[in-house]
């Protein structure tokens, strides 16, 4: 069992900066913290390649342990105000699209205190029906429900009102009628025997009830799953007809002077603000990044882009398992010294018989480089995969992986701690796809000694660089996103990890500009440069992804919601956006398969003098990479090939191609518009990785292996093998200042 975990406020750190380290223990009363440099994180004992280097640090030592809670689940909150405190008779209403109405009590619009119970709450009750609850703050509680369960994924106008003069409490749910089905409207009214509804002095909350964490921090509970659109608060008990008139009015406060608040969630899309368009300015904030830019109750289908018709995208989709910032208190800080070399580092935490590595990346001092080579850590991809539960959420997992599902300690921990949040490979508890992933929480698969996917196999490449004495700086996707080509320009060559899958537009622009000048890119991975993602400009460390239309994906994106809220850009595959990876690195994904990896054979073009440096020391007929840690070969997991139609440069040399792919290696959906009986690696010659080289007009060059498994072949035979040799040949030539001439 995991007994200690932690995270830092930043993944990329510059010497001179200070990072905060947040730690939580699960059982142990003490833990020890030390600094290590991560060299190779693969700790399989048979391979004997694990390497870390302990570094002296002022924080090294023993610390008291404590369990720090996480309040997951999104909601929105409006601070208390005199306009809320002064309410006597009132109506609350909203358009809602519940996704789990049968999941138990869920707060829709609440201004409530549990103990002693007081305030009001419009909610979904245990029967799945709409209900309104009021309390006098002295233990007296009255509730009325419609008794008619709400249907999932259907729009309703819901309202609750209190008439102080008549002492009546009413609740009402009106479905938006479909021509194809008959959902029931329902309402109920009852007398309220309480002397008054308590003014609990609490904030107003959407999509949850208030709660307090064990640390005393305000949080939420009894979360609502689903959408809320145009919630309103009116200072009078409205009749059904009056309620409808207000609800369908985009600017109700202009026609009804008793409107206290008319929230408009179509404003502020992409951020955490919510705005009240009414007269009292009851603005608020969302917590834990619910999804925005979502179709509202009035969506007509006339537009797919929320920016073009925001008034039809006024819904926020809340989930009870959303998470942005775990919000732990820092245990200690670390001022990164100016002379700490650039690299991958971790705070090693040890408690009882357990340990954890809080991993971060130290780049060179800003504006400088300390090596000619930069390793570009795929932190956007690490984030997209953060804390994935895919093997538990995806029912075809074993069929696609060709393996029995196995769970390590971290996976088991996540099953028991849903509050650590999800990855963009998962589904929310309401079945909708996860669009956001944060690094402000412990990420149980971004550390050494974790399974060989995403982060940890990239350390095979670091281990190889160290073994060969090749100096490198470490920079990250987030740095590239913020600084663009300026980050890369001073490097003679840039080296990717095994799987640089997720790219923001500024990241892609930065790489393209680097190559357009004189840059040299060594792509030692597969399935790279595939999906457009976005970083939030307002919420640091938050990534957004909408898996529109195509590609290997684990769920369908909600139709009509393909545009990213952080940037307004159309989401999906870069290939579908007209910027296929082939137009950047020569190759792009064609197939995936996880049981058996293949190996490369030299092609005719490898004997072209332009490619001579690549194959120094390599025989003409050698199988290249018929060994390796992932599937026993260098070409596997996810593999890429050339395609001139998608932009492979006309002078690119395919110097080697792979063979030996199994019947469990399949074409990716983006490659096939029609299923047929020859979609697997045993039958289809298009299923291959193309090792590709081309020069650029600025004297630069690109070398691509197009395989995730390549890096895992580097350590074979003490890093002495033809995969390692080819990689070293390429790196050494790419670091040589001599320009690459374009072929005549
Ligand atoms: Fe991937």
């Amino acid at each position: 069992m995991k007994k200690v975990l932690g995270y830092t406020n930043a993944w990329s750190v510059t010497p001179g900066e200070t990072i905060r380290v947040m730690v939580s223990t699960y059982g142990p009363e003490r833990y020890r913290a030390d600094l290590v440099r991560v060299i190779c994180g693969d700790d399989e004992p048979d391979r004997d390649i694990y390497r870390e280097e302990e570094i002296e640090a002022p924080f090294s030592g023993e610390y008291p342990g404590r369990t720090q809670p996480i309040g997951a689940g999104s909601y929105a909150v409006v601070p208390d105000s005199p306009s809320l405190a002064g309410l006597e008779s009132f109506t609350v209403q909203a358009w809602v699209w519940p996704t789990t109405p049968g999941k138990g009590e869920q707060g829709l619009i609440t201004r409530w205190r549990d103990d002693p119970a007081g305030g009001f709450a419009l909610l979904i009750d245990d029967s799945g029906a709409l209900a309104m609850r009021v309390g006098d703050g002295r233990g007296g509680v009255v509730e009325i429900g419609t008794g008619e369960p709400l249907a999932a994924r259907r729009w309703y106008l819901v309202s609750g009102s209190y008439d102080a003069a008549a002492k009546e409490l009413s609740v009402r749910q009106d479905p938006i009628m479909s021509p194809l089905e008959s959902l029931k409207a329902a309402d109920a009214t009852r007398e309220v025997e309480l002397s008054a509804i308590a003014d609990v002095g609490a904030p107003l909350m959407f999509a949850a009830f208030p709660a307090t964490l064990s640390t005393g921090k305000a949080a939420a509970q009894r979360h609502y799953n689903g959408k809320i659109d145009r919630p309103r608060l009116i200072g009078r008990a409205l009749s059904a007809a009056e309620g409808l008139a207000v609800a369908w009015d985009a600017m109700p406060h202009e026609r009804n002077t008793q409107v206290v608040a008319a929230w408009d969630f179509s404003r502020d899309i992409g951020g955490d603000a919510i705005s009240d368009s009414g007269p009292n300015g009851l603005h608020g904030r969302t917590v834990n990044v619910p999804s925005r830019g979502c179709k509202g109750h009035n969506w007509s289908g006339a537009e797919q882009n929320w920016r073009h018709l925001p008034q039809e995208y006024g819904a926020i989709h809340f989930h009870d398992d959303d998470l942005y910032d775990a919000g732990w208190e820092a245990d200690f800080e670390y001022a990164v010294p100016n002379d700490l070399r650039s690299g991958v580092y971790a705070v090693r935490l040890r408690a009882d018989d357990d340990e954890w590595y809080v991993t971060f990346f130290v780049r060179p001092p800003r504006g400088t480089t300390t090596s000619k080579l930069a390793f570009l850590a795929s932190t956007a991809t690490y984030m997209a995969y953060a804390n994935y539960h895919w093997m538990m959420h995806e029912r075809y997992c074993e069929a696609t992986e060709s393996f029995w599902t196995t769970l390590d300690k971290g996976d088991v921990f996540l099953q028991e701690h849903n509050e650590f949040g999800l990855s963009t490979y998962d589904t929310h508890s309401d079945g909708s796809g996860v669009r956001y992933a944060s690094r402000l929480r412990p990420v149980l698969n971004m550390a050494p000694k974790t399974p060989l996917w995403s982060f940890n196999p990239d350390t095979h490449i670091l281990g190889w660089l160290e073994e060969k004495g090749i100096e490198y700086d470490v920079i990250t996707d987030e740095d590239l996103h913020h600084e663009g080509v300026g980050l890369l320009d001073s490097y003679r060559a840039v080296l990717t990890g095994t799987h640089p899958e997720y790219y923001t537009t500024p990241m892609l622009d930065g790489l393209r500009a680097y190559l357009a000048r004189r840059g040299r890119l060594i792509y030692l991975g597969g399935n790279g440069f595939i999906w457009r993602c976005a970083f939030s400009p307002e919420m640091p460390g938050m990534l957004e992804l909408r898996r529109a239309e195509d590609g290997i994906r684990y769920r369908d994106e909600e139709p009509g919601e393909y545009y990213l809220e952080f940037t307004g850009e159309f989401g999906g595959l870069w290939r579908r956006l007209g910027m296929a990876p082939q137009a950047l690195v020569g190759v792009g994904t064609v197939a995936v398969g996880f049981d058996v990896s293949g190996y490369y054979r030299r092609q005719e073009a490898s004997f072209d003098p332009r490619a001579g440096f690549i194959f120094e020391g390599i025989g003409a007929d050698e199988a290249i990479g018929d060994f390796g840690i992932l599937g026993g070969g260098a070409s596997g997991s996810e593999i890429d090939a050339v395609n001139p139609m998608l932009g492979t440069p006309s002078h690119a040399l395919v110097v080697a191609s792979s063979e030996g792919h199994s019947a469990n290696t399949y074409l990716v959906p983006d490659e096939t518009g029609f299923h047929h009986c020859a979609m697997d690696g045993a039958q289809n010659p298009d299923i291959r990785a193309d090792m590709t080289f081309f020069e650029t007009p600025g004297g630069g060059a690109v070398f691509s292996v197009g395989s995730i498994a390549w890096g895992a072949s580097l350590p074979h035979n003490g890093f002495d093998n033809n995969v390692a040799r080819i990689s070293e040949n390429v790196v050494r030539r790419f670091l040589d200042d001599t320009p690459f001439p374009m072929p005549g």
Side-chain angles (χ1 to χ4, degrees), residues 385 425 499 501 527 638:
Y385 275 103
Y425 286 78
H499 190 22
E501 182 174 10
N527 191 230
E638 303 187 357

Side-chain angles (χ1 to χ4, degrees), residues 238-496:
L238 300 181
S239 69
E242 290 170 327
L244 277 170
V246 168
W248 283 106
D249 189 344
M251 305 284 275
H253 50 284
E254 295 194 346
R255 278 159 282 281
N256 184 329
T257 55
Q258 287 173 307
V259 169
V260 177
W263 288 278
D264 182 354
F265 296 161
S266 74
R267 302 184 186 184
D268 320 298
I269 293 173
D272 67 351
I274 56 168
S275 290
D276 170 17
S277 60
N280 293 309
L282 296 182
H283 310 305
R285 287 183 58 238
T286 65
V287 179
N288 283 331
V289 194
S291 195
R292 303 184 71 169
C294 295
K295 292 173 295 181
H297 70 286
N298 56 346
W299 188 69
S300 65
E303 257 304 335
Q304 303 284 314
N305 183 342
W306 57 264
R307 285 206 298 193
H308 294 169
L309 205 55
Q311 62 269 32
E312 293 189 7
Y313 281 89
I316 297 183
H317 192 151
F318 297 91
H319 306 94
D320 59 10
D321 47 11
D322 281 323
L323 179 66
Y324 171 37
D325 186 345
W328 288 355
E329 288 168 14
D331 285 46
F332 53 89
E333 294 187 340
Y334 175 47
V336 178
N338 286 321
D339 60 351
L340 191 71
R341 66 170 274 194
S342 177
V344 179
Y345 288 82
V347 175
R348 188 184 63 204
L349 304 171
R350 286 182 169 159
D352 289 354
D353 57 348
D354 191 35
E355 66 180 0
W356 179 247
Y357 290 80
V358 181
T359 305
F360 59 99
F361 306 85
V362 175
R363 52 181 284 186
R366 212 169 286 272
T368 69
T369 61
T370 49
S371 299
K372 292 169 81 174
L373 177 68
F375 175 77
L376 178 57
S378 314
T379 50
T381 302
Y382 305 158
M383 224 181 277
Y385 275 103
N387 290 348
Y388 66 86
H389 294 58
W390 179 71
M391 69 294 260
M392 303 302 285
H393 287 183
E394 169 57 53
R395 65 196 158 129
Y396 297 121
C397 171
E398 291 181 338
T400 53
E401 295 278 317
S402 311
F403 286 112
W404 300 118
T405 292
T406 54
L407 302 180
D408 76 354
K409 268 206 272 196
D411 298 324
V412 173
F413 182 89
L414 289 176
Q415 290 304 310
E416 293 168 349
H417 291 271
N418 208 31
E419 73 275 15
F420 277 65
L422 300 165
S423 80
T424 63
Y425 286 78
D426 300 320
T427 46
H428 287 290
S429 70
D430 72 354
S432 58
V434 176
R435 293 172 172 166
Y436 310 90
S438 160
R439 58 167 167 71
L440 294 175
R441 55 176 168 159
V443 173
L444 279 81
N445 54 333
M446 203 199 62
K449 303 186 181 179
T450 58
L452 293 175
W453 195 257
S454 195
F455 169 77
N456 207 20
D458 284 358
T459 69
H460 287 138
I461 294 176
L462 300 182
W464 160 74
L465 290 171
E466 301 265 345
E467 181 74 22
K468 300 297 174 189
I470 300 168
E471 289 182 4
Y472 61 95
D473 283 353
V474 172
I475 53 176
T476 74
D477 284 350
E478 264 187 285
D479 302 322
L480 177 57
H481 175 82
H482 291 299
E483 296 166 42
V485 69
L487 177 75
L488 309 178
D489 246 355
S490 305
Y491 288 104
R492 175 48 72 209
V494 173
L495 181 65
T496 73

Side-chain angles (χ1 to χ4, degrees), residues 502-659:
Y502 294 92
Y503 262 71
T504 66
T505 305
M507 284 164 58
L508 204 62
D509 288 347
L511 264 190
R512 290 163 66 89
Y514 175 62
L515 291 178
R517 297 183 186 192
R518 55 178 194 142
R520 298 167 182 184
L521 181 64
I522 305 164
Y523 168 39
L524 287 193
N527 191 230
F529 319 101
I530 293 295
W531 293 97
R532 171 184 263 164
C533 62
F535 286 120
S536 166
E538 288 188 33
M539 296 173 278
M542 197 57 161
L543 174 128
E544 183 186 12
L545 181 70
R546 302 212 182 188
R547 295 189 191 269
E549 291 191 3
D550 203 353
I552 312 171
R553 60 211 192 282
Y554 308 84
R555 40 96 181 171
D556 282 327
E557 192 52 83
E558 180 73 22
E561 298 182 7
Y562 292 174
Y563 283 81
L564 299 164
E565 68 157 300
F566 291 168
T567 58
E569 296 172 309
F570 190 73
L573 294 179
W574 279 111
R575 173 176 176 159
R576 286 278 169 263
L577 299 166
M579 299 167 98
Q582 285 88 343
L584 182 76
V585 291
V587 296
T589 305
V590 290
V592 302
F594 302 97
D595 59 342
V596 173
S597 295
Y599 49 89
Y600 296 79
R601 288 278 184 204
R602 289 181 66 163
Q603 302 295 304
E604 193 60 37
S606 74
F607 301 98
D608 186 309
R610 288 163 54 202
F613 70 94
I614 302 170
F615 291 96
E616 264 170 44
I618 307 292
D621 299 321
E622 263 182 63
I624 296 161
D626 53 345
F627 48 80
I629 293 165
L630 288 179
S635 169
S637 291
E638 303 187 357
I639 56 175
D640 307 353
V642 293
N643 186 340
M645 296 278 283
L646 293 176
T648 303
S650 50
H651 65 294
L653 298 176
V654 177
V655 293
S657 292
S658 68
E659 56 191 50

